[in-house]
């Protein structure tokens, strides 16, 4: 595996439901630069659906599941913000 395939951040969300996992993920990547490769370790059966959906919502790039229970994403430089208490919703406008 080359350096460009090594994660810059790993978020351990094993044993967490996706709501808590997304809160932890958002906090863990808040100060990471664009292009950072992030591996998310998750055991929630909803993770294969929720993580790509969250990436779509925020603009990060979902890269798939390189190993069972490990999900990869690459951070964008201009993510769409989400609510602090609900990382699966955009903040209200207006």
């Amino acid at each position: 595996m080359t350096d460009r395939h090594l994660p810059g951040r790993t978020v351990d969300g094993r044993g967490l439901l996706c709501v808590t996992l997304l809160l932890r993920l958002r906090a863990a990547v808040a100060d990471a630069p664009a292009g950072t490769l992030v591996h998310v370790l998750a055991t929630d059966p909803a993770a294969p659906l929720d993580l790509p959906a969250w990436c779509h919502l925020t603009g990060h790039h979902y890269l798939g599941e390189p190993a069972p229970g490990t999900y990869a994403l690459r951070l964008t430089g201009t993510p769409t913000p989400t609510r602090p208490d609900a990382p699966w919703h955009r903040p209200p406008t207006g």
Side-chain angles (χ1 to χ4, degrees):
M1 186 180 294
T2 65
D3 284 348
R4 86 183 179 111
H5 294 106
L6 294 175
R9 303 262 166 117
T10 300
V11 178
D12 189 349
R14 292 176 290 194
L16 301 176
L17 295 176
C18 269
V19 173
T20 307
L21 170 63
L22 291 177
L23 289 167
R24 183 175 288 181
L25 173 58
R26 186 179 57 197
V29 302
D31 64 343
T36 299
L37 177 62
V38 179
H39 280 179
V40 180
L41 309 178
T43 52
D44 187 322
L49 301 173
D50 288 348
L51 289 169
W54 183 78
C55 286
H56 179 75
L57 174 71
T58 59
H60 296 302
H61 305 282
Y62 181 72
L63 303 174
E65 189 176 2
T70 301
Y71 305 89
L73 57 108
R74 190 164 303 277
L75 301 181
T76 184
T78 55
T80 300
T82 58
R83 286 183 19 200
D85 63 330
W88 56 93
H89 290 292
R90 293 189 173 128
T93 59

